[in-house]
Amino acid sequence: MTGSVVLVTGASGFIGVELVSQLEASGYRVISATRSTDGSNGQSRQLPSPGDPDEMFRHLLKDVEHVVHLAAIAHTQLSGAADAYRAVNCVLAAKLAKAAHKVISGKFIFVSSIRAQCASAHKGIVNETDLPAPSNDYGQAKLAAEAEIATAMPKGNYTILRPVLVYGAGAKGNLAMLLKLAALPLPLPLGSLTGRRSLVDRSALCRAIIHCLNEPTTDAGTFIVSDKLPVTVPQILRAMRRGLGRSPGIFSCPPWLLNLAARVTRQGERWEKLNEDLVASSAKLRETGWDAVEDTPSQLEEVYRIARAR
């Protein structure tokens, strides 16, 4: 596939930066689709808005063989959030897929989310065969986009990926909060948290994307992307601290006391989510030949050790 041209939307984001690096190392030529034309040099093109005409999307894909669609909004405090999610996470993806069906000769990879599959917590193991039950506007928009893409690309030259929470240097959200806790110079009374969560390494997710570009058995498929085994919050914190060159320093306290502290600090909802289960299986994708991370704590430690060294 050396020299094949891949258009990557969201190339400047947390996942996109790593993906571009891996694609180029694998011999692909990458064109980034951005919202700004500043500095456009042939390696970057302007990403149309959801309301722009179809011909702008076809023009975007000129001389492109493959598309990886990462661009999305995950969190917004704006009024009309449901409409914003629908426009950016569904309508934009649908228009891009319709143009891709007419223009590209290769694959269309859509990076959706585990939230298109289920809520932020789930009893049992999440599989692709489960009936999708998104619980918020973000997940519903992602699920709607998946359906639009499947309809827009009847040749089946697409793959939908549903990653769980992605970790790596520079991760935001709950992982950024845990990293701040891990960096505190004091022991943490969080050893009693037992909720198990599936995570996925950012580099492994990017390898999954490239794998799907090349693997015909992933055509027209929907796949959960996660490390092989789930982890608990104490395991995450211990790994982060080892990566930061610190002793683990995690001890247990009565759960009721931890819940009280969370409510007092107005973090009750966040901690409840972190201490609930969301275990997702990537077995279906692994069966196509993708290698998942086997030991998440060791990989987390390595990620933050490398980040600290830089």
Side-chain angles (χ1 to χ4, degrees), residues 130-190:
D130 297 337
L131 184 67
S135 62
N136 62 7
D137 294 329
Y138 169 76
Q140 290 166 8
K142 283 287 193 177
L143 183 62
E146 293 180 8
E148 292 279 1
I149 290 165
T151 300
M153 307 197 72
K155 292 187 295 185
N157 56 327
Y158 68 89
T159 302
I160 292 166
L161 298 177
R162 292 174 176 166
V164 295
L165 184 62
V166 184
Y167 63 90
K172 299 179 180 180
N174 286 336
L175 286 174
M177 180 198 69
L178 290 177
L179 184 60
K180 288 180 180 180
L181 286 175
L184 293 174
L186 48 86
L188 297 173
L190 303 175

Side-chain angles (χ1 to χ4, degrees), residues 49-63:
S49 297
D52 285 336
D54 294 345
E55 56 264 28
M56 290 185 66
F57 289 87
R58 291 194 292 271
H59 179 73
L60 172 69
L61 299 178
K62 183 180 179 181
D63 299 323

Side-chain angles (χ1 to χ4, degrees), residues 75-122:
H75 306 286
T76 179
Q77 302 299 322
L78 299 174
S79 59
D83 292 337
Y85 285 130
R86 177 86 184 171
V88 176
N89 294 353
C90 178
V91 175
L92 182 66
K95 285 195 168 186
L96 191 60
K98 289 174 183 177
H101 170 61
K102 296 178 180 179
V103 176
I104 71 171
S105 60
K107 287 285 288 286
F108 185 99
I109 309 297
F110 177 55
V111 180
S112 182
S113 168
I114 194 64
R115 296 305 302 275
Q117 179 79 58
C118 64
S120 61
H122 184 85

Side-chain angles (χ1 to χ4, degrees), residues 10-88:
S12 62
F14 171 63
I15 297 169
V17 169
E18 173 69 17
L19 177 62
V20 169
S21 176
Q22 287 198 25
L23 283 167
E24 291 178 340
S26 298
Y28 289 93
R29 291 174 52 212
V30 178
I31 296 175
S32 301
T34 66
R35 295 305 305 273
S36 172
T37 57
D38 293 343
S40 180
N41 57 7
Q43 302 305 308
S44 178
R45 297 177 183 175
Q46 185 172 17
L47 180 65
S49 297
D52 285 336
D54 294 345
E55 56 264 28
M56 290 185 66
F57 289 87
R58 291 194 292 271
H59 179 73
L60 172 69
L61 299 178
K62 183 180 179 181
D63 299 323
V64 167
E65 293 168 71
H66 307 285
V67 175
V68 179
H69 185 44
L70 292 169
I73 53 173
H75 306 286
T76 179
Q77 302 299 322
L78 299 174
S79 59
D83 292 337
Y85 285 130
R86 177 86 184 171
V88 176

Side-chain angles (χ1 to χ4, degrees), residues 7 19-20 30 42 87 103 124 132 163 183 201 204 211 239 265 269 292 294 310:
L7 181 94
L19 177 62
V20 169
V30 178
V103 176
D201 172 51
H211 169 74
T265 58
E269 183 178 354
E294 297 272 350
R310 290 175 179 171

Side-chain angles (χ1 to χ4, degrees), residues 264-284:
V264 168
T265 58
R266 297 184 179 180
Q267 297 294 320
E269 183 178 354
R270 171 172 280 181
W271 281 110
E272 283 178 9
K273 288 181 180 179
L274 281 172
N275 199 35
E276 291 179 314
D277 287 350
L278 179 53
V279 179
S281 172
S282 60
K284 181 181 175 183

